[in-house]
Structure formats: C-alpha cells, structure tokens
C-alpha cells in the first residue's frame, strides 16, 4: 500500500501551548483512518495543519509524495484534498445547488472572461458534477432552497457533498456525526463506508466511538497533542495509554 | 425561457423606445440631463454591486475610481484632443489599473478593515484630484468642450447622447449580469459567505477578490467617462466620500446581492429627489434616511441574497434569478 | 540644539496630536466594548461644537458653563445614537453575534447613515460655511515659551485630554462602572450571567465616549475658530487611524498613535505643501492595515 499522506514530526505551538506535538503517521491509498482523542487533544489543529489552514511550527506534510507543508489552503485543495469543518460551514445564503457548485468550480476553475462569453463546456461540467453529487446525497429535491433553510442533518450532508464535488483523492471529515442521533449516525457511517469502498481515501475525526470503531480500519489516538496509539480498532480499545487518556482525565 | 426573453425584449424596448419617446415628447434639456445622470449612476451601482453585493466586500471608495475615469476621459479630451472613442476605454482601463495597484497590498484585509482601507484609498485619490493642480486643475475642475465622437460620428443632439450613454450602460450591465449570474458569480458569493471555507474548496480568495475589485473599477471608470462627456465639466467634489456613500446606499437600498436591486436603487435615489425637489436641497438627508431604513427593515440586511425586491423577482419570474437547472456560465 | 523652526513644528504637531487623541479616546472606548466602528462619532463632535456655538450666541455664559452644556448635549446625542443606530442590530446578546461580522457591518452602515442625516440636517439649517464665533471665546491667545509660541488653547486641550485620559483609565480600572464595561467588552453573555445589565453598560459606554467627542468638538472649534457641519469628518478619520495603529482596543495605544500622527503631519508640512498633510494619516492607516491586517495588537482571526 502506498502512502497517500505522510505526516512527519508535525508540531504546532500556540503561544506556550503545544497543540500538536511531533505527530508522525501516514494514510495509505484507499484507507479509512479514524482520528480520536479527548477534547482539546489537537485533532482539529492537526487537520488544519494538513489542509494548509495553519502553518506548522515544525515538521512536514507530504501528499502524493510531494511536500505540501506551508502551502495555502486553496493550493492544497487543488492537489486533491478536501475537507469539512467541525462547526458546519455551508454558505447559508446560497442555494443548495450553488453551494455544491462551489466545490465543483473550485476544483475545475472558472474565469471571469469565460463567464461573459463562451465557457459553455466548463459550465456544463460543473453543473453535471453538481447534480451528480446532489443526487448522491439525496438533496436534488431541495436544489433551489437556501442552504440556511435545510435541517441540520441535511446541511451536514450538503457540506460533505460540496467537498465531494471537488472529486478529491483524500477526504478529511471533522466530526461529521456531531449532533446527529443514532439512526442518522448509522446512515452516515453507511455512507462513509460506501464512499470508501469506491476507493476514496478518508480521514475522519469523531467522538462517536461506535462509529469510529465500527468503520475504520485503523485508528490514530491523540492526547494533549501527542500520538499515543496508531493501530486497529481492536488493539486501540485495549491500549492502556488510550484508556488512561480517556478515563484518567487530564494529566496536564 | 420565453418569460426571460420577454423580460429582455421589454427592457430593450423600454430603454431605447419608450424612454426616448417620452423625452422627445417633453423635449426639455433638464429631462435629458436627468436621464443620462440616471444611466451613469445605474452603471456605477451595478459595478459596486459586483464587489459589495456579490463578493461581500464593503467598498467605501468607489467614487474615486469613477473619478479616475472621469479625469482621464476629460483630460484626454481637453488637453490631448483624444476623443470619446478612445477616451472611454482608456478611462476604464486607467481606473482598473489603479485599482490593481492599490489592490495588491490591500486585498488580504477582511470585513471592516477592508472597508476602512478602501475609504483611505478613496480619500487619497480625492486629495490627488483636489491638490495635484498642474494635472487635474485642482478645485477648478476640468472643462470638456468636445462632444461625443463615436467612431467618426459626431453626436451632438441630446437624444443622440442619451442613446450612446444608455447603450454603453446597458451593455456594461449585461456584462456585469453575466459575471454575477454564473458560476463565476457563485465563486464570488462564496467569498461573501465564508472566505475560509471557499479557500478549502480550492478557491484562490485573494485573486478572486482582486478580480472583482478591478473589474468593478473598470466599469466605474467607464461611468466616469460618460459623466465627463455628458456634463462637460468635472470637479473633485463629484468624486468625494459622499458620492461613494450615495452609490453604496443605492446598492444597499435595492438589496445587496441583487443586480436589479442595485439598478432600481440607483433610479430611486436619483429620480426621487428630483421629484421632491420642491422640499429644498434635501437629497443627502433623503439618502441617509433611505439607507438607514433599508438596513433596519430588511431583516437579512447585508448578508442575504437579500432584497427588498425579492417579491419583485418572484413576480417577474426567473428572468431575474436564474434557476439552478439552467444556470450555465454566461448562458441563462 | 534643535532648530527653532522644527521645535515650533513639533509643538504644533503635539497640539494637533492632542486634538486627535481627544477624539480617539471616545472612539476607541466604543470600539473596544462593542467591536463596532461608530461612524457617527465625527458628527457627535460636530454636534458638540454647534451646541457650544448656540450657547455662546444666545446666552454668552462663561466658558466652563458652555463646556458643561456641551457635555450634556454630547451625552444625549450618544444615547440617541446608540438607541437608533446600534440597539436595533443587537438582536442577540451572546458574544458570537455581538461581535459577528453581520453586526459590525450593519452597525457600520447604520451609523454611517445616521452621520449623513445629522451632517446634512446641520447643513440645511446652518448652511455649509464657517459659522462666526464670538471672538472673545476663542482659545488662541498667544503665549511665548522660549523659542516657541503656543496658544492658551494648547494648554486647555492638553489639560482636558490628560484629565479625560486619566479619568477614563481610573474609571475603567477602579470603579464598578468600569468593571462592568470591561466585563461586557470581554464577554457580553458571561457579563449578563453575572448580573450585569449589558444594555445599560453599552449605553453608558456610548454616553461617556460621546461626551468626550462633543467636548473635543467645541474645544477644537474654539481653537481654530472654525465651526461648520462637515468639521467632524477628518478628525473622525484621524481618530480611526489612531485607533487602528494603537491596537484597536487600547486607549493608551490610541493616544500615543494620535500624537505620532499629529507630529508626523506637522513635520510633513515642512517638506510638502500643507494640503497634502492628510495623506500622511491615510498612508499610516494603509501601512498599519497591510502589515498588521488586524491592527497592531488586534483581535485574532476567528479559528477554523
Ligand atoms: N488558533 C488557535 N490559537 C490558540 N490556541 C488554539 C488555536 N487553535 C486551537 N488552539 C488550542 O489548541 C488545542 C487543541 O485544539 P483542537 O481544536 O485542535 O482540539 P480538538 O482535538 O479538535 O478538540 P475537540 O474535540 O473539542 O474538537 C486546544 O487547547 C485549543 O484551545
Ligand atoms: Mg475539533
């Protein structure tokens, strides 16, 4: 298995706090990797470091064998990585369709000039792809509704669909199941496994243990910024360091 | 589709048949003047709509770019005898070029910091208009005697000037409409909604903001040239801060994010004070009050694809809001 | 030894800086608490000047009485402004929405609209030209201090600015009002849970800031002998520049920046024509904004 994403000694300080501390791991092509850890463990920060939203204090990120450390987010995205946000960020005053189209046009690119004359082929591609994603997450009925008017669960799917419309090689999901009930979570985990089985590499942060343990092949555990385990779900569940981190409370 | 076509034909008939007919029927210079001023401000509001309404950047110095266009056109015409045909594009390009230069360092700024930076830029340009006497003639302003030469035709009649100004305005508005009602427009909207999130979608936020700013300045420059040629005299105070605010008020009143809104806002703020002329010189108070009312009573205020005119859109159907399924870049 | 000419320029710069500081203090106070730009602060300044002018023209009381009335008018104007242009947009009082972009931009525009209405109404009533002020009230009697000449207005403005600055620092640090202002500025929702009346605190902040603005208006009006409806625009911008340079919510920072601004401007006029002096402030603003996009020590960008 070739590594799609490699993290090498990734570290980030915020003032005196080390939010991510010397994290080294990798994500192989086609893998579905879970990232867990207590609140404030540095999971979101790690995602921000990977996707270019935060610059690492030291360490390197390699994606498809190329170094992407310190690249701005849009360039990281262009290389085939797309992400969702922990606190659900759809474009509220745009329609559902327009939301998704931003993912597609971000990846394909649109120019000011071609939007005035010509550019039919490109726009055709964008709308094809957007419709495809809409159908995929079952939002085609609501294509013309404002995103702000969707239910919470649907907005979550919208955000994922928007990220998928970029047709990424690596999808990073930050707590996709937060705020969902049991059946919704089950449905979501079904969806994620489905995406993965189609060959999409996924990295996911989640607090819902049953989701992570149920679908991930490998789980990375962070505590206070440090990686304390990186193993199969079964092993992680029995790992003493992990149990301590979760049950022993803060050791800071 | 047919409804859209109907709207388009209706607009063309209105602009190029009905309004001229009315103007000719009354045949008063004053009416022609108002009609051309209205056309200039419609173009200005439409150009600000691109930056402020769609891309969500609060721009408080728009009048300065309008001024650059006006000065370039007027000075080319009066000093170098370069006429309208070349002066018009030169005005637009000059404004766009200056916008590009000032945008280089400032486009990283967000929200109110952007607003204040544009205010400062606008004021600096205004100071240049006012104090660079050797070039701009300072507070005395520039007189432009030459009429509009349009590819060799000399256009002198008032109705002729109306046609030229309106045609250029209409063409520009169509271009702006296509820009904003396309996937490119969606990219701009995503900046307004959440620029960090847009970056995660692979959108180069800085470049896109810069494009919107420069394109908008280009059209403001065109409006400036039209202004210089229709009034024949420009002075720094035509391009000061309160003019920027006037244009901003037009966009806000019509509803941010809506091009027809910007157009109607411009007409409202130009024509209504003329109607209310008897009340005295209260135009600016009126502008302030209308702006305040618009901010207060449009519950979504700035951030929706909002408008006082949403109902108007609904009534006029899809002609104004491309529905998702037939939206393509540049083709509705 | 410094050339007396430059010493004189320096003195002029200091007094100019003092004037900007007078304005910047109130402006920064309001920004620090509400995180909003009060575009109408310049008009509060103008209203203060006009209130003083009317007092002088109709009653001709001693200067101190004029100042007291001006302060009262400023307080009233600040109260009205807050109710009209800010309160309606404070629909939710949790921290996120109070400091949200929507709130900031809506109030920026509403205060802008209010400032237009106020300025244009004054222009409609009084005309746009300079108003004549009773000469005996002007504070421009010359005083020779060694090689430099100053006027009594410099001393008055210095004294008032100092009192205002120290008084405010004291108020914020040691009084209960100050405590509640600081609490609201830190975390409005938290402050409310602690039993602080956020609404009243915000009004109070506006009132204090506006009293200072109005006072600045009349003092500067009497200093230059120039009172006119659009007099507040430029000082308003200068105050904003000082605030941004000083780190957005730091009053000492704003005061120091105002002094720097004043001195630079007056020094610049010895190199270029004085009509370009305003360029300095705008250039300062742009440079600060560009190199410190959120102000010198300003708030961080929201987290992803
Ligand atoms: N921009 C920032 N500035 C300062 N500190 C930060 C910043 N971003 C994160 N932190 C701190 O870094 C630590 C890790 O935060 P992070 O958001 O990565 O945790 P998390 O694992 O995602 O937690 P949660 O499960 O709550 O989402 C926290 O202590 C947080 O306060
Ligand atoms: Mg997190």
């Amino acid at each position: 298995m070739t590594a799609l994403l490699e993290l090498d000694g990734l570290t980030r300080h915020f003032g005196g706090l080390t939010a991510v501390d010397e994290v080294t791991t990798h994500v192989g092509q086609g893998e579905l990797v879970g990232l867990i850890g207590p609140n404030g463990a540095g999971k979101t920060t790690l995602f921000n470091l990977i996707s270019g939203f935060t610059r690492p204090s030291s360490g390197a990120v390699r994606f498809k064998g190329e170094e992407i450390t310190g690249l701005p987010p849009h360039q990281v995205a262009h290389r085939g990585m797309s992400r969702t946000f922990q606190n659900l960020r759809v474009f509220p005053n745009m329609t559902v369709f327009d939301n998704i189209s931003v993912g597609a046009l971000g990846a394909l690119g649109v120019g000011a000039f071609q939007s005035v004359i010509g550019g039919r082929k490109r726009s055709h591609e964008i709308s094809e792809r957007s419709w495809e994603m809409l159908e995929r997450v079952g939002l085609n009925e609501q294509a013309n509704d404002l995103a702000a008017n969707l239910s919470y669960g649907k907005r979550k799917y919208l955000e994922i669909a928007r990220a998928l419309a970029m047709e990424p090689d690596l999808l990073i999901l930050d707590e996709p199941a937060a705020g969902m009930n049991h059946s919704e979570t089950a449905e979501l985990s079904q969806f994620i496994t489905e995406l993965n089985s189609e060959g999409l590499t996924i990295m996911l942060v989640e607090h819902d243990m049953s989701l992570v343990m149920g679908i991930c092949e490998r789980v990375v555990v962070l505590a206070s910024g440090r990686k304390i385990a990186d193993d199969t779900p079964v092993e992680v569940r029995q790992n003493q360091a992990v149990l301590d981190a979760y049950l022993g409370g803060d050791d800071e | 589709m047919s409804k859209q076509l109907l709207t388009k034909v209706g607009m063309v008939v209105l602009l190029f048949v009905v309004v001229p007919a009315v103007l000719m029927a009354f045949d008063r210079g004053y009416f022609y003047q108002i009609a051309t001023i209205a056309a200039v401000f419609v173009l200005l509001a439409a150009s600000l709509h691109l930056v402020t309404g769609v891309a969500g950047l609060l721009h408080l110095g728009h009048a300065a770019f309008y001024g650059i266009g006006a000065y370039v056109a007027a000075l080319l015409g009066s000093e170098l005898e370069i006429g309208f045909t070349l002066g018009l594009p030169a005005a637009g390009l000059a404004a766009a070029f200056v916008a590009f230069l000032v945008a280089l360092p400032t486009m990283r700024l967000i929200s109110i910091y952007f607003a204040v930076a544009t205010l400062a830029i606008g004021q600096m340009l205004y100071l240049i208009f006012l104090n660079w006497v050797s070039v701009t003639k300072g507070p005395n302003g520039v007189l432009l005697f030459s009429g509009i030469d349009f590819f060799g035709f000399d256009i002198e009649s008032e109705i002729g000037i109306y046609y030229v100004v309106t045609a250029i305005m209409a063409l520009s508005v169509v271009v702006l409409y296509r820009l904003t009602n396309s996937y490119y427009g969606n990219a701009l909207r995503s900046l307004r909604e959440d620029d960090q999130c847009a970056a995660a979608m692979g959108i180069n936020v800085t470049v896109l903001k810069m494009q919107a700013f420069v394109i908008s300045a280009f059209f403001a420059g065109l409006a400036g040239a039209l202004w210089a040629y229709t009034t024949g005299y420009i002075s720094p105070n035509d391009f000061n801060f309160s003019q920027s605010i006037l244009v901003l008020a037009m966009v806000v009143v019509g509803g941010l994010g809506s091009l027809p809104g910007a157009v109607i806002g411009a007409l409202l703020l130009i024509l209504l004070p003329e109607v209310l002329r008897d009340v005295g010189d209260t135009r600016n108070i009126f502008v302030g009050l209308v702006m305040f009312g618009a901010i207060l009573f449009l519950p979504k205020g700035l951030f929706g694809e909002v408008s006082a005119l949403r109902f108007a859109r609904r009534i006029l159907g899809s002609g104004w809001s491309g529905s998702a399924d037939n939206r393509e870049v540049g083709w509705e | 030894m410094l050339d007396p000419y430059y010493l004189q320029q320096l003195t002029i710069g200091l007094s100019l800086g003092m004037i900007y500081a007078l304005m910047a203090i109130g402006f920064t106070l309001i920004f620090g608490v509400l995180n909003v730009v009060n575009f109408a602060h310049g008009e509060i300044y103008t209203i203060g000047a006009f209130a003083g002018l009317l007092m002088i023209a109709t009653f001709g009381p001693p200067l101190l009485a004029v100042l007291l009335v001006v302060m009262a008018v400023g307080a009233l104007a600040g109260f009205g402004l807050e109710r009209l242009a800010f309160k309606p947009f404070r629909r939710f009082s949790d921290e996120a929405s109070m400091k949200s972009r929507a709130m900031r931009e809506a109030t920026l525009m509403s205060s802008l609209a209010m400032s237009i209405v106020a300025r244009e109404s004054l222009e409609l009533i009084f005309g746009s030209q300079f108003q004549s002020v009773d000469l005996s009230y002007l504070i421009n009697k010359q005083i020779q201090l060694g090689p430099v000449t100053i006027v009594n207005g410099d001393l008055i403005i210095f004294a008032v600015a100092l009192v205002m600055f120290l008084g405010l620092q004291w108020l914020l640090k040691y009084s209960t009002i100050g405590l509640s202002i600081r609490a609201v500025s830190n975390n409005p929702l938290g402050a409310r849970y602690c039993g602080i009346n956020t609404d009243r605190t915000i009004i109070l902040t506006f009132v204090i800031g506006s009293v200072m603005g109005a006072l600045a208006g009349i003092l500067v009006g009497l200093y230059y002998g120039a009172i006119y409806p659009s007099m507040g625009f430029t000082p308003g911008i200068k105050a904003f520049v000082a605030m941004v340079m000083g780190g957005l919510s730091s009053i000492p920072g704003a005061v120091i920046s105002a002094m720097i601004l004043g001195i630079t401007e007056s020094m610049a006029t010895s190199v270029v024509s004085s009509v370009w002096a305003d360029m300095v402030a705008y250039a300062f603003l742009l440079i600060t904004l560009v190199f410190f996009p959120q102000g010198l020590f300003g708030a961080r960008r929201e987290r992803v």
Side-chain angles (χ1 to χ4, degrees):
Chain A
M1 212 188 270
T2 53
L4 183 65
L5 177 75
E6 292 168 87
L7 310 182
D8 193 357
L10 214 51
T11 304
R12 171 72 205 205
H13 308 285
F14 288 115
L17 177 92
T18 307
V20 172
D21 193 358
E22 294 276 341
V23 172
T24 301
T25 186
H26 66 276
V27 178
Q29 181 73 51
E31 259 192 307
L32 171 47
V33 177
L35 179 62
I36 62 172
N39 284 84
K43 306 178 295 290
T44 300
T45 309
L46 186 65
F47 272 12
N48 287 345
L49 290 171
I50 296 171
S51 57
F53 278 86
T54 308
R55 278 173 170 270
S57 306
S58 64
V61 185
R62 271 185 297 280
F63 185 54
K64 298 183 184 166
E66 284 173 68
E67 170 122 14
I68 58 163
T69 327
L71 285 187
H74 70 270
Q75 281 185 21
V76 175
H78 276 298
R79 290 177 187 232
M81 190 191 298
S82 78
R83 66 170 292 179
T84 65
F85 293 87
Q86 178 169 358
N87 44 354
L88 197 126
R89 289 164 79 166
V90 295
F91 304 125
N93 298 309
M94 292 170 70
T95 64
V96 170
F97 179 86
D98 286 352
N99 258 275
I100 293 188
S101 77
V102 174
L105 67 88
L108 293 167
V110 283
F113 196 66
Q114 32 170 238
S115 74
V116 180
I117 36 173
R120 292 183 96 157
K121 187 160 154 277
R122 174 55 50 83
S123 61
H124 197 70
E125 269 176 281
I126 294 176
S127 79
E128 286 274 272
R129 209 190 254 195
S130 306
W131 276 117
E132 193 186 312
M133 290 308 152
L134 270 176
E135 266 151 41
R136 176 101 223 224
V137 294
L139 283 169
N140 38 351
E141 299 275 295
Q142 280 127 315
N144 282 321
D145 294 356
L146 282 187
N149 299 340
L150 289 186
S151 69
Y152 180 79
K154 293 215 159 134
R155 267 183 285 161
K156 282 263 177 192
Y157 275 100
L158 174 59
E159 199 185 8
I160 297 174
R162 188 181 61 186
L164 286 175
M166 294 172 63
E167 301 199 336
D169 300 311
L170 172 65
L171 177 66
I172 309 188
L173 302 170
D174 199 346
E175 302 200 15
M180 287 188 169
N181 65 25
H182 260 303
S183 65
E184 286 170 331
T185 307
E187 202 181 304
L188 181 73
S189 69
Q190 172 77 37
F191 183 59
I192 293 173
T193 351
E194 212 176 284
L195 289 172
N196 183 240
S197 68
E198 289 164 18
L200 180 62
T201 314
I202 299 175
M203 201 175 175
L204 119 123
V205 163
E206 193 44 72
H207 278 299
D208 189 314
M209 284 302 157
S210 64
L211 177 79
V212 177
M213 298 299 178
I215 65 174
C216 295
E217 302 151 28
R218 192 154 66 81
V219 176
V220 176
V221 188
L222 285 187
S224 310
R226 237 161 297 151
K227 186 173 94 170
I228 55 168
D230 185 347
D231 220 326
T232 61
V234 181
E235 293 293 325
V236 163
R237 226 191 286 254
Q238 287 155 3
N239 187 315
Q240 194 53 45
V242 177
L243 292 175
D244 287 346
Y246 271 93
L247 301 174
D250 290 335
D251 52 359
E252 292 159 276
Chain B
M1 265 328 237
S2 66
K3 204 167 183 179
Q4 281 182 30
L5 196 66
L6 213 65
T7 323
K8 281 181 199 164
V9 173
M11 298 280 223
V12 171
V13 170
L14 182 72
L15 279 179
F16 296 102
V17 181
V18 179
V19 175
V22 172
L23 286 174
M24 301 237 261
F26 284 94
D27 198 26
R28 296 227 320 253
Y30 168 66
F31 282 173
Y32 284 110
Q33 208 181 321
I34 292 178
T36 46
I37 290 175
V40 168
F41 275 88
V42 164
L43 177 50
L44 269 178
S47 63
L48 187 63
H49 155 78
L50 181 73
V51 188
T52 300
V54 179
L57 302 164
L58 196 49
H59 187 355
L60 297 179
H62 201 53
F65 295 97
Y66 164 55
I68 291 174
Y71 272 99
V72 167
L75 290 172
L76 284 180
S78 67
E79 306 284 299
L80 302 174
E81 311 212 324
I82 294 173
F84 184 75
T85 317
L86 280 177
L88 179 74
L93 291 175
F97 180 67
V98 176
F100 175 73
L101 289 184
V102 298
L104 280 175
T106 48
M107 280 302 135
R108 267 171 52 210
L109 302 177
I110 54 161
S111 75
I112 56 170
Y113 306 101
F114 179 86
V116 177
T118 52
L119 169 73
I121 290 165
Q123 286 301 111
M124 287 170 110
L125 289 169
Y126 171 70
L127 282 178
I128 291 173
F129 299 150
L130 192 63
N131 296 320
W132 195 17
V133 181
S134 58
V135 173
T136 64
K137 314 269 185 290
N140 295 333
V142 183
L143 273 172
L144 180 66
F145 291 113
S146 50
I148 295 183
D149 76 290
F150 203 57
F151 294 102
F153 297 98
D154 260 332
I155 292 160
E156 272 164 10
S157 68
E158 283 170 318
I159 192 74
I161 292 174
Y162 169 83
Y163 269 112
V164 171
V165 170
T166 310
I168 290 164
M169 179 274 283
L171 207 66
S172 308
V173 171
V174 168
V175 170
L176 285 163
Y177 174 81
R178 294 201 153 190
L179 274 176
T180 52
N181 245 32
S182 62
Y183 288 118
Y184 183 72
N186 280 357
L188 294 177
R189 276 180 198 98
S190 73
L191 302 185
R192 175 189 73 197
E193 299 287 298
D194 186 335
D195 51 354
Q196 286 183 326
C197 203
M201 301 291 110
I203 286 174
N204 190 338
V205 174
T206 317
V207 166
L208 209 59
K209 274 184 179 176
M210 190 131 127
Q211 286 177 357
F213 192 69
V214 170
I215 294 172
S216 151
F218 174 80
F219 287 105
L222 293 189
L226 294 180
W227 174 259
Y229 270 92
T230 52
T231 58
Y233 168 70
I234 56 170
S235 73
N237 279 339
D238 298 344
F239 315 108
N240 62 14
F241 182 63
S242 51
Q243 293 295 306
S244 290
I245 297 308
L246 175 63
V247 182
L248 180 65
M250 290 168 177
V251 177
V252 171
V253 167
L256 278 151
S258 144
L259 182 57
V263 171
I264 292 173
L267 293 176
L268 194 75
L269 287 183
I270 292 296
L271 300 181
L272 261 190
E274 299 296 336
V275 179
L276 302 174
R277 217 178 177 70
D278 305 333
V279 192
D281 194 15
T282 51
R283 161 181 289 182
N284 287 329
I285 299 183
F286 178 78
V287 169
L289 287 175
V290 168
M291 188 169 155
F292 182 70
I295 301 162
L296 189 58
F297 297 118
L298 298 178
K300 285 214 147 184
L302 266 169
F303 319 97
E305 194 69 352
V306 260
S307 61
L309 300 160
R310 185 168 275 163
F311 71 95
R313 275 202 225 172
R314 216 174 289 138
I315 292 165
L316 288 165
S318 58
W320 275 356
S321 66
S323 61
D325 46 21
N326 60 18
R327 172 91 49 88
E328 290 181 19
V329 177
W331 296 90
E332 48 299 313
Chain C
M1 190 57 212
L2 263 172
D3 192 317
Y5 171 76
Y6 285 106
L7 217 53
Q8 182 66 49
Q9 284 306 105
L10 190 69
T11 319
I12 294 175
L14 278 175
S15 78
L16 201 61
M18 213 75 78
I19 290 169
Y20 297 157
L22 219 50
M23 194 67 174
I25 292 173
F27 200 72
T28 309
L29 179 67
I30 293 171
F31 184 92
V33 173
L34 276 174
N35 213 335
V36 294
V37 175
N38 174 15
F39 241 104
H41 198 65
E43 271 57 45
I44 299 281
Y45 169 94
T46 315
I47 287 173
F50 271 87
L53 181 78
L54 286 181
M55 267 304 277
I56 291 170
T58 44
F59 301 108
L63 186 61
L64 203 62
V66 174
L67 297 187
L68 285 176
V69 171
V70 165
M71 286 166 78
V73 170
L76 215 64
F79 175 79
L81 177 69
E82 200 279 332
R83 292 285 95 174
L84 276 172
F86 289 85
K87 176 83 214 309
F89 302 97
R90 230 174 29 248
R91 296 193 178 93
F92 312 99
S93 58
D94 61 295
E95 187 180 4
S97 54
M98 274 198 60
K99 298 200 166 170
S100 72
R101 193 177 141 184
M103 155 83 179
R104 272 193 308 228
E105 292 186 357
T107 50
L108 184 138
M109 302 236 287
S110 67
S111 63
L112 189 61
M114 276 296 125
S115 81
I116 296 173
V117 174
R119 183 170 62 234
E120 297 296 332
S121 307
L122 282 174
E123 219 163 272
L124 200 65
I125 300 168
F126 295 97
S128 60
Q129 69 281 22
F130 284 21
Q131 304 293 309
S132 54
V133 192
D134 186 342
L135 292 182
S136 62
Y137 279 92
L138 295 187
I139 45 177
N140 57 4
K141 320 267 176 319
Q142 293 200 344
I143 301 171
Q144 195 68 33
L145 267 186
V148 295
T149 317
I150 59 168
V151 295
N152 62 345
D154 288 328
L155 298 177
I156 296 178
I157 287 179
F158 177 73
V160 171
L162 197 68
V163 168
M164 258 164 52
F165 176 66
L166 294 178
L168 197 63
Q169 291 305 93
W170 178 85
L171 190 83
L172 287 177
K173 287 231 162 69
Y174 300 109
S175 72
T176 41
I177 298 170
L179 189 67
S180 52
I181 290 179
R182 281 185 293 144
V184 171
S185 121
N186 257 314
N187 182 345
L189 195 61
R192 221 176 36 181
Y193 288 154
C194 298
I196 292 172
N197 186 338
T198 43
D199 215 39
R200 200 162 59 204
T201 308
I202 290 170
I203 292 179
L204 208 67
T205 314
F206 263 88
V207 167
I208 296 173
S210 301
V211 165
M212 295 182 169
L215 203 55
I218 185 64
L219 285 176
V220 177
L222 294 179
Y223 183 79
Y224 289 123
I227 294 178
Y228 53 99
S230 57
M231 66 187 279
F233 182 72
T234 315
I237 304 261
K238 303 289 164 70
F240 191 93
V241 177
M243 180 184 86
V244 172
M245 285 170 65
L248 292 163
S249 51
S250 150
I251 291 174
V255 170
I256 293 169
S257 308
M259 304 306 285
I260 295 174
L261 195 61
I263 293 169
T264 322
E265 272 186 28
S266 87
M267 287 303 174
T269 55
S270 56
V271 188
V272 292
S273 149
S274 66
V275 292
W276 296 106
D278 282 348
M279 272 299 195
V280 174
Y282 299 127
F284 261 128
L285 180 62
L286 285 183
I287 290 168
T288 316
L289 283 174
V290 168
F291 292 105
F292 308 91
Q294 319 282 303
L296 288 176
F297 329 97
R300 243 182 283 104
R301 178 85 210 249
E302 344 46 284
R303 289 178 196 173
V304 180

